[in-house]
Amino acid sequence: MLFKKIGARISSHFDRQLYLADSAKILADIRTMDASIDQLLVVGHNPGIADLALALGDIKNYAPGTLATFKADCKIWSELSPANVTLDKVFVPEA
């Protein structure tokens, strides 16, 4: 699921193709986001979402329910890559 922040309003879009998508598909969809969107929340399932998070940041454990935040140094989403992303925070649920 992709959530896009537009001004003070947040819009959401559910894409069934992302339900069990691999990391390449998720990243490809992120790269299609409009440049006017400055923040994006992607919610997905393992292993695809975990594989993407691991590719973008040095995360040791991406257990189910984990939330990772990243900062990207690019002007448009199509430029997003592991080379211009830094891991910000990781929240791992307690067992």
Side-chain angles (χ1 to χ4, degrees):
M1 180 177 289
L2 301 175
F3 292 90
K4 301 177 279 189
K5 180 181 176 187
I6 302 171
R9 195 183 104 216
I10 295 177
S11 68
S12 66
H13 170 73
F14 180 77
D15 184 345
R16 291 192 183 280
Q17 293 181 359
L18 291 179
Y19 181 71
L20 292 175
D22 62 18
S23 59
K25 168 68 174 145
I26 299 168
L27 183 57
D29 278 19
I30 291 170
R31 288 178 174 155
T32 68
M33 294 293 106
D34 188 89
S36 66
I37 298 165
D38 63 352
Q39 295 180 15
L40 183 68
L41 172 66
V42 181
V43 179
H45 289 275
N46 286 337
I49 199 74
D51 290 345
L52 179 59
L54 295 170
L56 294 176
D58 185 24
I59 301 172
K60 304 297 182 218
N61 176 23
Y62 201 92
T66 298
L67 170 67
T69 62
F70 300 89
K71 293 185 179 183
D73 185 20
C74 56
K75 296 195 186 305
I76 56 176
W77 290 104
S78 62
E79 296 174 348
L80 187 75
S81 74
N84 59 25
V85 171
T86 53
L87 179 63
D88 183 37
K89 294 179 181 137
V90 178
F91 304 91
V92 180
E94 294 181 19

